[in-house]
Amino acid sequence: MAETPLQSLDTMGKAELMNLTQSRAFAMRDLALYLDTHPTDSNALNQFLESKRDYEKYAKIYSERYGALSMSRVCEENGWPSWSNTPWPWEKEAN
Amino acid sequence: MFQYEKALQYPVKIARPNARLAKMIMSQLGGPNGELGASMRYLNQRYTMPLRELQGLLTDIGTEELSHMEMVSAIVYQLTKGMTPEQLEAQGFADYFVDHTTGIYPVSASGIPFSAATFQSVGDAVADLNEDLAAEQKARTTYDNILRLADDPDVRDVIRFLREREIVHYQRFGEGLRLIQDHLSRYTDYPDNPYATNPSFDPPVPRPQPRPRKK
């Protein structure tokens, strides 16, 4: 079951929003491995789709506010530096 | 095709540098049971898997291992950042420092550079999946040994996450092996010994069906 975030998305800080986004990405990846060996489990598929829907929502907000999570999320307003000049994941300040 | 997501699978935020610990953790990047070998093992084995489900499983786990490689590298990077040469030497890091400074280079804890000889791809689904099962347990053992030696809570938290993933992968590979066994028992000419053929190379032989009885 996906938890509802305790804090409003509008006031959520960078690290919290990243954790929320990646918690949904992780749920998707873990369910993906299960679905690879249980492809007809509809309950698992529903959980996957629920995580995916949340992930898409949070990843979009994160990318617009704090920097593109992937190249395909670079937008006109934020420009290229939102991909290339925000902290890279191995830096302490990115986590 | 692979696309990059600018995030770690699980956050790495190490407060205290510790080069001695970095050298141990490094083994899960370039050592015999490490994440680089894991991703290369699965991503190379997947092409000849006889079932699409297994090609998918190896693709998805192999991709996750690339994320784990990045997490291990992030730990080593943060553990050695901002230290003086004297501090690095005092913590047993001088021999690595001479060749690599604090750059990330895949070696084992005993300093042996990464080698493709640490994994196999023999083009036989049953053999490859059994190797994968063993590999996940060996990686779990290595993480257990790191946890026996590491006392930094920031590092231990990440290592425990990675250790859990080895166990999940072991479960999924076990299910994958069962899928192949079910497949073989349906198609092979040797129903009592499904391991007598190479299911990735030899064409499937339909199992003889009992003749319908005449009324």
Side-chain angles (χ1 to χ4, degrees):
Chain A
M1 272 309 112
E3 295 160 46
T4 321
L6 297 171
Q7 223 179 330
S8 155
L9 288 171
D10 300 330
T11 58
M12 197 175 276
K14 181 169 175 260
E16 286 86 359
L17 189 54
M18 172 61 103
N19 279 340
L20 185 63
T21 309
Q22 290 309 316
S23 74
R24 297 310 186 263
F26 176 70
M28 278 171 68
R29 278 174 204 132
D30 194 36
L31 286 159
L33 302 189
Y34 179 84
L35 281 160
D36 284 339
T37 55
H38 305 79
T40 58
D41 187 326
S42 57
N43 181 37
L45 181 66
N46 286 336
Q47 286 184 52
F48 174 85
L49 294 173
E50 194 187 331
S51 303
K52 181 176 119 107
R53 195 191 56 214
D54 288 350
Y55 169 76
E56 288 299 336
K57 182 168 102 186
Y58 302 143
K60 186 171 183 289
I61 299 173
Y62 183 94
S63 296
E64 287 165 0
R65 218 181 274 174
Y66 301 112
L69 270 177
S70 63
M71 213 181 262
S72 63
R73 293 184 193 274
V74 171
C75 59
E76 207 179 341
E77 299 81 62
N78 291 348
W80 193 253
S82 90
W83 167 250
S84 63
N85 200 23
T86 51
W88 286 87
W90 47 90
E91 298 173 46
K92 230 188 281 185
E93 49 270 47
N95 290 280
Chain B
M1 174 167 73
F2 288 96
Q3 295 195 41
Y4 189 67
E5 171 137 328
K6 205 169 165 178
L8 296 180
Q9 195 190 11
Y10 186 87
V12 173
K13 212 176 177 68
I14 314 287
R16 286 164 302 276
N18 183 340
R20 198 177 302 281
L21 186 52
K23 225 174 154 181
M24 291 187 242
I25 307 282
M26 180 79 81
S27 228
Q28 280 303 79
L29 171 62
N33 310 317
E35 303 289 357
L36 173 57
S39 54
M40 293 304 105
R41 177 184 295 112
Y42 309 144
L43 293 176
N44 284 294
Q45 284 179 356
R46 65 191 169 137
Y47 299 93
T48 53
M49 278 287 154
L51 299 177
R52 289 224 172 93
E53 290 90 337
L54 294 178
Q55 296 175 4
L57 185 66
L58 285 164
T59 301
D60 291 343
I61 296 185
T63 304
E64 184 176 341
E65 304 293 11
L66 289 173
S67 314
H68 294 171
M69 191 179 95
E70 183 183 39
M71 284 171 59
V72 171
S73 301
I75 299 175
V76 173
Y77 169 71
Q78 292 183 21
L79 278 175
T80 53
K81 193 166 188 278
M83 296 181 91
T84 65
E86 291 75 22
Q87 287 170 324
L88 288 164
E89 189 177 17
Q91 295 185 11
F93 207 74
D95 42 3
Y96 183 94
F97 180 81
V98 162
D99 290 327
H100 312 291
T101 329
T102 54
I104 302 297
Y105 178 74
V107 294
S108 74
S110 46
I112 301 164
F114 175 72
S115 164
T118 56
F119 68 88
Q120 254 295 6
S121 173
V122 294
D124 179 310
V126 174
D128 281 344
L129 283 168
N130 274 289
E131 153 139 349
D132 302 344
L133 284 159
E136 294 295 336
Q137 287 299 321
K138 289 190 277 184
R140 198 218 79 245
T141 303
T142 307
Y143 282 126
D144 275 338
N145 291 340
I146 289 172
L147 287 170
R148 291 178 217 279
L149 298 166
D151 55 3
D152 185 306
D154 297 340
V155 172
R156 290 179 63 85
D157 181 50
V158 184
I159 297 296
R160 272 196 291 264
F161 171 87
L162 291 167
R163 178 187 177 278
E164 281 299 314
R165 298 310 292 160
E166 310 299 344
I167 299 166
V168 171
H169 294 171
Y170 182 79
Q171 290 171 316
R172 298 289 93 87
F173 280 132
E175 292 155 1
L177 184 60
R178 205 181 59 225
L179 287 176
I180 251 298
Q181 286 164 338
D182 291 349
H183 170 80
L184 286 171
S185 63
R186 274 197 301 279
Y187 289 105
T188 183
D189 203 10
Y190 306 95
D192 298 331
N193 187 2
Y195 311 118
T197 60
N198 177 350
S200 304
F201 190 75
D202 300 316
V205 182
R207 194 173 167 179
Q209 297 296 313
R211 270 187 216 155
R213 255 187 229 159
K214 278 179 189 165
K215 273 183 186 167

